[in-house]
C-alpha cells in the first residue's frame, strides 16, 4: 500500500505522470488530505480557506491541487471572507467549499445563515478543536450544539455529517455535495482533530466531472436569454418572508424523513447501549469489545448524521432490544447527550461520559464508565481521577 | 455657489432613454437621493459595453440593497460588508462573467474594510461602485467612517469629534497604496458635467475589467438629503462646497497613483477646521447660540453646540432656502 502524503503525491504525479491518487487503489492518507482529495474527485472546483490547526492541511492540499484540476483556490483574509467567497462561487452553480476549525466556524455563522436562507449549496468542514475561546488545538466534539442548533441566526438547519473513519469521510464528502445540491442547502462535515490528523487506508472509487453537471436553474451566471436571477435572503414583505420560512421548514422535514443515517454494532443481547459519533465512537467501539470480553452485554449506536438526528432509530433500538441503560460518550462536557434524551424520552436512564480538555479517553476509561453503569453507579469522572472533572 | 456651466441634461448623451440593463421599476429612494442616479450610470455602462447578459452584480447591505429590483441583471445579495468576498468567489469561479459590487460607505469602509482591502490587494478583476454619502442611510443616519469632522449624525449628535470619534477614511486614497488597486477615481453626481465625468469613470472601470487589468473602484460622493436634514438642492451644494473639499474629486490612481498630493499637503491627524472648503468653525458664546438657535444645532450639517460655520469672509453658512419648521417633527 502506498503512503500518500502531499510530498509523495506530488512526486507521483509530477515524476511518473500518473494520476495523483489512482482510483481503486488502497492508499494511506492523512484525514485532511483524504477529504480534500475526495472533494476534488467529487468535482469541487472552488475552495476558499483560512489556515487553522487542525484543519490547515485541507487548505494546503487545495492550494497545491485545485488549480491543477482547473478550479479556483483563494487563501481568504478571514473565515468571514472565506464563507462569503463560497457564497459567490456556489451562487454561480460551482461546487464550492471551505474548511476550518472551531473558532473559524464561529466567524462563518452569519454567512452560513445567508447561504441557508438563499438556498445556496456548499460544503463546510469543521475539523473540531477544543474550546471555548482559543481553547486548544487538540481534538474535540464540543461544537455539536453549534453544528446542530446554532450555526447562525434564524430558523434554519444544515445537514451535519459525522464520519468515524477516513473511508467514511471520503465517501461522505461525495455524498455531501449531492445532498447540498439536492436540497439546496449548506452541508457541514463535522470531523475532529483526530480524523483530520490521523492516517488510514482509503480507496477512491469514482471521479465526478463538473462539466457533466447541468447548470442549476437558480444560479447567477448572467441573464442571457432568460429572466434575471437573484440569489438573496431579504424579504421585506412579512407574508412573503413567512412563506419562504415555511418552505424552508418543509425542506427540513423532507430531509428528516429521507436523510437520517446511523449504524449499530453488537445489539444482540445488549442491555447497555453506548451512543457515540465520530472519534468517540471509535473509542466506544473498542470499549464495547473490552466489555464483551468481560461478558458484559454492551452494544453501540453510532449516528452518521446528527442533523437530521436518528431519533426514531435510536428509540426503536431501545424499545425493540430492551435496552436498560444508555451511556453517551463524547469529547465534550455533554452535548449530543441532550439529543439522546430527546430520542428515548425517558424509556431508560441516560448517563454520560466525556472528556473536554482535548484528551481522548482510553477505552479502559470508557470501560470503567460502562462498569459503573452496570453497577448502577454514577458515571461522571470523579474529581480525584487524574485530577480532572468533566 | 453656482455649478460650473456644462451641457444641459437634454444634450448629455447618457440620459436619452432607459438603458436595457434598467428594469424600469420605480425606486424606493428618497427624493434627491443619489442612488437612483448612480444605478442609472451603471446600467448605461453595462449597456454600452454590451455585457448585460454576462454580468452578475453583488448588492451590499444599505439603502441600495434592492438594486437588483432596478437593474435587469443577475444579482447576489450578501451579508453586510462582504460583497468584495462574494464577488471574488463569483469572478474566480466564472472569470467569463462581468462582476461588480455596489456598496455604501458603511458597508465598504466600516464592517467590510477587510474584504475591500484584500480584494484590492489581490487585484481581483472586479469593479466596485462605492457610494459614499457620509452617513449610514439605511439605518437612519448614524455616523459612518466617512462622516466629516463636525458633521452631526444620530451617533455624533454634537458633530463628529475626531478626538473621540476618529477621522474619516478616504477609501480611494487608502486603496491607492496597494499595488493591486489598478484604477481608483472619485466622482460626484451634483450636476451634468460631474455626471458625465462619473459615467466615464464607471465605463472605464468596467472596461478595465473586460481588459483583465484588475481591481477598480469608483467612489461616488452621493447625497443623502434625508439624513443630512437638507433639501435635495442643498445636499448637492453641500457636496460641491464641502464634501468634495475633504474628498477631492478626480482620478486617484490609474495604474500609477496620480492624485495623492493632497494627502501630503494636509497634516493627517489633527482636526482641521478649514477642511470645510471655504468655511471655518467659529466658537460662539451662549448668547450667540441662543440667537442662532436650532439652526446651527440641528439643520446645519456641521452645526455643533456653541459654534457655527463661517466663510472666510465672515459670512455664516446657512443652507440658503432651508425651511426650519420642517425639522420640528
Ligand atoms: C451584520 C450587520 N450589522 C448591521 C446591519 C445593519 N445595517 C444595515 S445597512 C447599514 C448601514 C448602511 O450604510 P451604508 O453602507 O453607508 O449604505 P447607505 O444606506 O448609506 O447607502 C447597517 C449598519 C446589518 N444589516 N448587518
Ligand atoms: S436615506 Fe439617504 S441614502 Fe437612503 S434612500 Fe434616503 S436619501 Fe438615499
Ligand atoms: Mg452611506
Amino acid at each position: 500500500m502506498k503512503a500518500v502524503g502531499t510530498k509523495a503525491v506530488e512526486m507521483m504525479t509530477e515524476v511518473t505522470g500518473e494520476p495523483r491518487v489512482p482510483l481503486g487503489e488502497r492508499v494511506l492518507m492523512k484525514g485532511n488530505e483524504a477529504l480534500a482529495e475526495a472533494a476534488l474527485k467529487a468535482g469541487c472546483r472552488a475552495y476558499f480557506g483560512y489556515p487553522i490547526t487542525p484543519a490547515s492541511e485541507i487548505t494546503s492540499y487545495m492550494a497545491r491541487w485545485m488549480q491543477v484540476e482547473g478550479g479556483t483556490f483563494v487563501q481568504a483574509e478571514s473565515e468571514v471572507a472565506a464563507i462569503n467567497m463560497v457564497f459567490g462561487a456556489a451562487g454561480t452553480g460551482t461546487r464550492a467549499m471551505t474548511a476550518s476549525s472551531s473558532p473559524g466556524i464561529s466567524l462563518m455563522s452569519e454567512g452560513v445563515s445567508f447561504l441557508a436562507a438563499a438556498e445556496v449549496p456548499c460544503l463546510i468542514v469543521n475539523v473540531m478543536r477544543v474550546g471555548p475561546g482559543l481553547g486548544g488545538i487538540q481534538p474535540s466534539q464540543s461544537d455539536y450544539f453549534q453544528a446542530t442548533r446554532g450555526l447562525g441566526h434564524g430558523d434554519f438547519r444544515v445537514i451535519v455529517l459525522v464520519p468515524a473513519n477516513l473511508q467514511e469521510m471520503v465517501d461522505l464528502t461525495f455524498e455531501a455535495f449531492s445532498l447540498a445540491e439536492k436540497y439546496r442547502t449548506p452541508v457541514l462535515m463535522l470531523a475532529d482533530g483526530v480524523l483530520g490528523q490521523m492516517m488510514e487506508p482509503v480507496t477512491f472509487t469514482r471521479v465526478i466531472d463538473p462539466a457533466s453537471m447541468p447548470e442549476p436553474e437558480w444560479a447567477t451566471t448572467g441573464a442571457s436569454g432568460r429572466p434575471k436571477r437573484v440569489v438573496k435572503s431579504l424579504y421585506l414583505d412579512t407574508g412573503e418572508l413567512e412563506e419562504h420560512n415555511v418552505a424552508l421548514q418543509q425542506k427540513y422535514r423532507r430531509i428528516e424523513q429521507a436523510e437520517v443515517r446511523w449504524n449499530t454494532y453488537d445489539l444482540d443481547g445488549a442491555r447497555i447501549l453506548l451512543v457515540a459519533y465520530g472519534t468517540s465512537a471509535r473509542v466506544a467501539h473498542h470499549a464495547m469489545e473490552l466489555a464483551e470480553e468481560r461478558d458484559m452485554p454492551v452494544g453501540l449506536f453510532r449516528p452518521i448524521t446528527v442533523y437530521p438526528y436518528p431519533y426514531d432509530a435510536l428509540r426503536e433500538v431501545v424499545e425493540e432490544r430492551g435496552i436498560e441503560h444508555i451511556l453517551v460518550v463524547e469529547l465534550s462536557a455533554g452535548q449530543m447527550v441532550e439529543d439522546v434524551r430527546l430520542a428515548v424520552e425517558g424509556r431508560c436512564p441516560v448517563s454520560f461520559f466525556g472528556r473536554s480538555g482535548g484528551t481522548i479517553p482510553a477505552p479502559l476509561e470508557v470501560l470503567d464508565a460502562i462498569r459503573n453503569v452496570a453497577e448502577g453507579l454514577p458515571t461522571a469522572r470523579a474529581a480525584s481521577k487524574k485530577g480532572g472533572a468533566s | 455657489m453656482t455649478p460650473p456651466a456644462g451641457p444641459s441634461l437634454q444634450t448629455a448623451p447618457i440620459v436619452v432613454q432607459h438603458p436595457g440593463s434598467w428594469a424600469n421599476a420605480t425606486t424606493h429612494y428618497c427624493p434627491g437621493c443619489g442612488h437612483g442616479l448612480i444605478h442609472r450610470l451603471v446600467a448605461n455602462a453595462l449597456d454600452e459595453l454590451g455585457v448585460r447578459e454576462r454580468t452578475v452584480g453583488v448588492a451590499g447591505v444599505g439603502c441600495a440593497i434592492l438594486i437588483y429590483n432596478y437593474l435587469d441583471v443577475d444579482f447576489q445579495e450578501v451579508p453586510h460588508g462582504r460583497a468584495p468576498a462574494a464577488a471574488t468567489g463569483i469572478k474566480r469561479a466564472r472569470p467569463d462573467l462581468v462582476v461588480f459590487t455596489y456598496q455604501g460607505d458603511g458597508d465598504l469602509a466600516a464592517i467590510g474594510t477587510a474584504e475591500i482591502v484584500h480584494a484590492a490587494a489581490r487585484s481581483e478583476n472586479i469593479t466596485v461602485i462605492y457610494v459614499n454619502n457620509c452617513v449610514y442611510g439605511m439605518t437612519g443616519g448614524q455616523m459612518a467612517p466617512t462622516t466629516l469632522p463636525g458633521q452631526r449624525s444620530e451617533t455624533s449628535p454634537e458633530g463628529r469629534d475626531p478626538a473621540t470619534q476618529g477621522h474619516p477614511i478616504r477609501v480611494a486614497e487608502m486603496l491607492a497604496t496597494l499595488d493591486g488597486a489598478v484604477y481608483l477615481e472619485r466622482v460626484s453626481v451634483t450636476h451634468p458635467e460631474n455626471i458625465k465625468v462619473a459615467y466615464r469613470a464607471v465605463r472605464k472601470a468596467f472596461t478595465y475589467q473586460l481588459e483583465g487589468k484588475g481591481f477598480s473602484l469608483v467612489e461616488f460622493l452621493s447625497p443623502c438629503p434625508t439624513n443630512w436634514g437638507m433639501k435635495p438642492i442643498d445636499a448637492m451644494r453641500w457636496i460641491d462646497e464641502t464634501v468634495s473639499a475633504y474628498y477631492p474629486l478626480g482620478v486617484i490612481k490609474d495604474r500609477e497613483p496620480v492624485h495623492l498630493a493632497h494627502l501630503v499637503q494636509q497634516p493627517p491627524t489633527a482636526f482641521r477646521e478649514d477642511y470645510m472648503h471655504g468655511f471655518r468653525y467659529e466658537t460662539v458664546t451662549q448668547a450667540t447660540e441662543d440667537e442662532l438657535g436650532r439652526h446651527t444645532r440641528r439643520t446645519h450639517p456641521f452645526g455643533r453646540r456653541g459654534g457655527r460655520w463661517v466663510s472666510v469672509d465672515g459670512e455664516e453658512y446657512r443652507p440658503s432656502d432651508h425651511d426650519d419648521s420642517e425639522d420640528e417633527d
Side-chain angles (χ1 to χ4, degrees):
Chain A
M1 189 185 355
K2 279 183 203 148
V4 184
T6 306
K7 285 241 165 53
V9 172
E10 211 157 306
M11 282 166 61
M12 222 157 60
T13 309
E14 280 176 5
V15 179
T16 67
E18 277 173 29
R20 191 170 57 240
V21 180
L23 290 184
E25 218 174 273
R26 246 161 91 85
V27 289
L28 191 61
M29 283 186 89
K30 193 175 195 174
N32 282 336
E33 296 182 341
L35 188 149
E37 180 62 31
L40 290 172
K41 284 191 161 46
C44 175
R45 287 298 176 269
Y47 182 91
F48 310 96
Y50 187 87
I52 184 169
T53 309
S56 295
E57 291 87 354
I58 303 177
T59 301
S60 306
Y61 197 90
M62 290 300 196
R64 179 65 188 87
W65 297 108
M66 183 55 95
Q67 259 155 319
V68 175
E69 294 286 353
T72 182
F73 166 88
V74 178
Q75 179 170 329
E77 58 270 29
S78 68
E79 291 84 353
V80 176
I83 193 72
N84 285 288
M85 290 174 184
V86 167
F87 190 116
T92 68
T94 305
R95 283 197 165 175
M97 69 174 286
T98 182
S100 185
S101 181
S102 312
I105 299 294
S106 293
L107 272 184
M108 290 184 193
S109 14
E110 184 200 29
V112 179
S113 171
F114 275 63
L115 281 154
E119 301 191 86
V120 177
C122 70
L123 171 61
I124 301 156
V125 180
N126 182 0
V127 184
M128 286 184 281
R129 57 188 251 178
V130 61
L134 215 41
I137 57 170
Q138 296 85 0
S140 164
Q141 295 180 320
S142 51
D143 302 344
Y144 182 93
F145 284 156
Q146 183 196 48
T148 59
R149 309 292 199 274
L151 205 45
H153 60 283
D155 266 337
F156 80 95
R157 302 292 189 119
V158 300
I159 296 175
V160 186
L161 307 172
V162 286
N165 60 62
L166 298 197
Q167 185 64 52
E168 187 173 51
M169 191 150 82
V170 163
D171 297 341
L172 284 179
T173 302
F174 282 79
E175 189 99 340
F177 283 109
S178 332
L179 287 170
E181 282 153 21
K182 180 175 177 190
Y183 293 102
R184 285 187 60 184
T185 178
V187 172
L188 179 70
M189 180 78 73
L190 191 66
D192 60 62
V194 173
L195 290 166
Q197 297 298 320
M198 73 191 296
M199 289 186 87
E200 246 179 16
V202 289
T203 309
F204 295 88
T205 52
R206 59 191 172 128
V207 174
I208 296 172
D209 176 9
S212 70
M213 295 187 290
E215 179 187 304
E217 81 293 349
W218 50 265
T220 54
T221 51
S224 175
R226 57 158 173 81
K228 72 175 169 197
R229 293 170 180 163
V230 180
V231 169
K232 63 157 192 163
S233 62
L234 177 72
Y235 293 86
L236 288 175
D237 179 271
T238 52
E240 223 189 312
L241 179 54
E242 186 149 41
E243 253 172 56
H244 171 64
N245 267 316
V246 167
L248 283 179
Q249 290 304 316
Q250 285 167 347
K251 172 166 85 178
Y252 300 142
R253 298 297 88 77
R254 286 202 303 281
I255 292 172
E256 286 158 13
Q257 285 299 310
E259 307 300 347
V260 189
R261 289 161 174 67
W262 72 94
N263 213 337
T264 56
Y265 307 84
D266 297 3
L267 292 186
D268 282 345
R271 289 287 165 272
I272 296 172
L273 183 68
L274 303 178
V275 183
Y277 69 97
T279 291
S280 56
R282 298 170 72 109
V283 180
H285 192 272
H286 195 162
M288 176 188 79
E289 288 171 346
L290 295 176
E292 286 167 344
E293 282 167 19
R294 290 158 179 77
D295 289 330
M296 298 165 80
V298 178
L300 170 65
F301 184 96
R302 178 172 75 87
I304 298 171
T305 55
V306 289
Y307 179 81
Y309 195 82
Y311 292 111
D312 294 344
L314 180 53
R315 187 167 45 248
E316 276 160 29
V317 166
V318 169
E319 277 179 345
E320 285 165 19
R321 305 286 177 154
I323 298 297
E324 285 164 12
H325 204 124
I326 283 181
L327 175 65
V328 179
V329 183
E330 293 180 67
L331 305 182
S332 79
Q335 301 195 6
M336 184 186 70
V337 64
E338 297 195 358
D339 275 329
V340 174
R341 292 200 172 107
L342 282 176
V344 304
E345 289 174 331
R347 283 173 176 78
C348 70
V350 175
S351 300
F352 173 75
F353 175 81
R355 300 290 303 263
S356 58
T359 315
I360 311 298
L364 281 173
E365 276 182 83
V366 180
L367 182 66
D368 274 351
I370 296 171
R371 275 210 195 93
N372 290 345
V373 162
E375 291 161 18
L377 294 172
T379 56
R381 283 172 49 78
S384 58
K385 267 197 206 169
K386 291 185 192 158
S390 69
Chain B
M1 196 187 281
T2 41
S8 74
L9 282 174
Q10 280 68 33
T11 55
I14 52 169
V15 281
V16 278
Q17 64 185 48
H18 279 307
S21 301
W22 184 253
N24 232 347
T26 310
T27 71
H28 67 285
Y29 300 119
C30 309
C33 176
H35 278 306
L37 207 56
I38 298 165
H39 291 4
R40 178 65 194 267
L41 298 183
V42 173
N44 270 75
L46 297 177
D47 271 20
E48 191 182 332
L49 298 169
V51 295
R52 187 198 78 85
E53 305 206 326
R54 56 184 178 109
T55 295
V56 179
V58 186
V61 181
C63 276
I65 191 166
L66 295 178
I67 182 173
Y68 47 75
N69 287 346
Y70 311 134
L71 261 55
D72 200 18
V73 300
D74 277 8
F75 256 98
Q76 292 193 12
E77 172 212 272
V78 297
H80 194 23
R82 317 301 170 206
T88 297
I90 301 170
K91 189 71 179 183
R92 294 286 187 120
R94 290 288 304 270
D96 55 314
L97 298 176
V98 175
V99 181
F100 75 94
T101 71
Y102 189 102
Q103 303 177 258
D105 45 340
D107 193 77
L108 183 142
I111 197 167
T113 321
E115 283 74 12
I116 196 65
V117 165
H118 288 275
R122 291 189 304 264
S123 204
E124 294 297 339
N125 190 26
I126 59 172
T127 302
V128 174
I129 305 296
Y130 164 49
V131 182
N132 175 2
N133 55 12
C134 306
V135 77
Y136 283 46
M138 192 193 215
T139 41
Q142 296 84 0
M143 187 181 77
T146 44
T147 296
L148 295 184
Q151 183 184 340
R152 287 179 184 284
S153 74
E154 286 288 309
T155 47
S156 57
E158 301 298 314
R160 181 180 190 164
D161 178 1
T164 54
Q165 293 175 304
H167 295 267
I169 298 178
R170 292 188 187 87
V171 167
E173 286 84 346
M174 176 180 76
L175 296 180
T177 65
L178 302 171
D179 292 345
V182 171
Y183 170 56
L184 307 162
E185 180 162 355
R186 187 180 291 114
V187 299
S188 81
V189 287
T190 49
H191 55 79
E193 193 53 39
N194 278 348
I195 292 173
K196 273 176 62 183
V197 172
Y199 177 65
R200 281 199 294 271
V202 172
R203 194 180 50 197
K204 184 164 170 182
F206 279 107
T207 306
Y208 274 25
Q209 183 179 159
L210 292 170
E211 291 167 355
K213 287 206 167 81
F215 182 90
S216 52
L217 174 145
V218 181
E219 173 170 346
F220 281 84
L221 302 182
S222 177
C224 177
T226 304
N227 288 304
W228 294 353
M230 293 184 194
K231 288 189 169 174
I233 190 76
D234 292 328
M236 292 299 196
R237 185 171 160 231
W238 189 56
I239 291 175
D240 278 342
E241 292 175 356
T242 307
V243 183
S244 42
Y246 197 97
Y247 300 106
L249 301 183
V251 178
I252 309 295
K253 187 174 181 185
D254 190 350
R255 285 160 290 181
E256 297 295 325
V258 292
H259 202 281
L260 289 170
H262 66 280
L263 283 183
V264 185
Q265 288 159 9
Q266 289 185 350
T269 50
F271 171 40
R272 288 171 48 108
E273 314 229 296
D274 57 344
Y275 273 150
M276 278 27 113
H277 196 59
F279 288 85
R280 81 193 140 76
Y281 184 67
E282 195 182 75
T283 311
V284 294
T285 60
Q286 184 61 45
T288 332
E289 197 198 2
D290 291 345
E291 174 202 319
L292 294 169
R294 264 192 329 98
H295 194 78
T296 37
R297 288 218 53 224
R298 284 200 54 216
T299 66
H300 193 294
F302 294 146
R304 294 200 303 180
R305 188 193 296 282
R308 60 177 177 168
W309 287 87
V310 292
S311 74
V312 276
D313 28 295
E315 182 196 332
E316 190 201 343
Y317 180 95
R318 275 173 179 273
S320 46
D321 50 356
H322 194 92
D323 182 0
D324 250 355
S325 62
E326 276 181 12
D327 279 0
E328 287 296 353
D329 35 37

